[in-house]
């Protein structure tokens, strides 16, 4: 399974420099590390998935000594590993560039991992059931809905969202973090099992 995870990294090795450079640029203009890690982690995972579709890699993978469960599991485990790597790089770079102390930002790191896990829990089953091009259509539609909402219905939506994140950062009750963590892990595992079931039923 480790080879499957390494494959997802190697197929994007030519774009890793772009990822690294643009993250530095965003940090220099004070873009939130939470936003950076979330976007880059999801984009990295989606690119790895779409590369398998484009190159018909699934046909090759299913001819190798890997079970379909292992192929799907490598995507979910890889998602956690990739997110962890982006967190380490982004927050270390933020510390070096802006002097932000990394050790006190554990809530942001927890928020990063949770947001990516939630996103992946919805993205991967849809991608396995259909194709990533349909996911792109869905994302475009969601962006359109978002633009309509902030322009016509809730103009201060971004401020409310920012306030919600700040409130999350100031919560001191560890029980709330524990409950949120359990819910996210349950969602992630349920999505994992659903994706395995979908992929095992697919014909290549």
């Amino acid at each position: 399974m480790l080879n499957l995870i390494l494959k997802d990294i190697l197929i994007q090795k030519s774009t890793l420099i772009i990822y690294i450079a643009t993250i530095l640029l965003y940090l220099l203009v004070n873009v939130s590390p939470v936003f950076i890690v979330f976007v880059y982690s999801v984009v990295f995972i989606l690119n790895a998935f779409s590369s398998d579709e484009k190159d018909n890699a699934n046909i090759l993978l299913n001819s190798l000594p890997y079970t379909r469960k292992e192929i799907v599991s490598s995507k979910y485990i890889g998602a956690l590993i990739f997110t962890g790597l982006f967190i380490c790089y982004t927050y270390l770079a933020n510390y070096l560039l802006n002097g932000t102390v990394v050790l006190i930002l554990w809530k942001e790191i927890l928020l990063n991992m949770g947001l990516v896990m939630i996103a992946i829990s919805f993205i991967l089953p849809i991608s396995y059931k259909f194709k990533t091009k349909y996911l792109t259509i869905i994302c475009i539609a969601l962006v359109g809905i978002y633009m309509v909402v902030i322009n016509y219905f809730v103009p201060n939506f971004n401020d409310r969202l920012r306030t919600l994140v700040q409130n999350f950062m100031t919560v001191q009750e560890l029980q709330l973090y524990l409950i949120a963590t359990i819910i996210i892990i349950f969602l992630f595992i349920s999505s994992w099992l659903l994706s395995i079931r979908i992929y095992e039923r697919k014909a290549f």
Side-chain angles (χ1 to χ4, degrees):
M1 189 183 300
L2 178 60
N3 290 332
L4 294 173
I5 297 173
L6 290 175
K7 171 189 69 68
D8 288 340
I9 296 176
L10 292 176
I11 60 178
Q12 296 190 72
K13 63 181 179 180
S14 59
T15 58
L16 283 177
I17 300 299
I18 298 175
Y19 290 147
I20 292 171
T22 52
I23 286 174
L24 291 176
L25 290 175
Y26 283 131
L27 290 173
L28 285 172
V29 295
N30 294 319
V31 175
S32 170
V34 174
F35 177 78
I36 292 173
V37 171
F38 175 75
V39 171
Y40 276 79
S41 297
V42 172
V43 168
F44 190 92
I45 295 162
L46 279 177
N47 282 342
F49 195 97
S50 62
S51 294
D52 286 352
E53 287 183 343
K54 182 174 61 178
D55 300 330
N56 291 321
N58 284 310
I59 298 175
L60 174 62
L61 289 175
N62 282 279
S63 67
L64 296 174
Y66 297 112
T67 65
R68 294 197 174 190
K69 181 178 179 180
E70 289 175 329
I71 294 171
V72 173
S73 297
S74 70
K75 296 296 183 186
Y76 280 83
I77 296 173
L80 299 178
I81 293 173
F82 304 147
T83 303
L85 292 175
F86 276 116
I87 288 174
C88 292
Y89 172 74
T90 302
Y91 281 92
L92 178 59
N94 193 39
Y95 171 71
L96 295 175
L97 292 174
N98 302 317
T100 304
V101 180
V102 178
L103 295 179
I104 65 173
L105 298 179
W106 65 271
K107 290 182 181 179
E108 284 193 20
I109 295 172
L110 186 64
L111 179 60
N112 274 138
M113 189 63 74
L115 288 175
V116 173
M117 288 175 69
I118 291 171
I120 293 304
S121 295
F122 291 99
I123 289 172
L124 286 185
I126 293 173
S127 298
Y128 278 115
K129 181 63 177 178
F130 305 104
K131 287 189 176 181
T132 51
K133 65 177 182 180
Y134 295 107
L135 188 63
T136 302
I137 295 171
I138 293 172
C139 290
I140 293 172
L142 290 175
V143 170
I145 294 171
Y146 168 77
M147 296 302 295
V148 170
V149 168
I150 65 173
N151 282 300
Y152 296 102
F153 298 102
V154 191
N156 61 343
F157 178 79
N158 289 331
D159 293 331
R160 291 186 180 185
L161 186 60
R162 192 176 299 110
T163 301
L164 181 64
V165 173
Q166 289 174 348
N167 289 338
F168 174 81
M169 297 302 175
T170 57
V171 170
Q172 299 298 326
E173 293 290 337
L174 291 180
Q175 288 183 344
L176 293 178
Y177 289 110
L178 180 60
I179 293 172
T181 300
I182 292 174
I183 292 173
I184 292 172
I185 291 175
F186 176 79
L187 177 64
F188 191 76
I189 293 175
S190 298
S191 170
W192 190 338
L193 295 175
L194 176 60
S195 292
I196 290 174
R197 184 168 183 174
I198 293 170
Y199 193 68
E200 285 180 338
R201 293 184 173 184
K202 293 190 76 170
F204 295 102

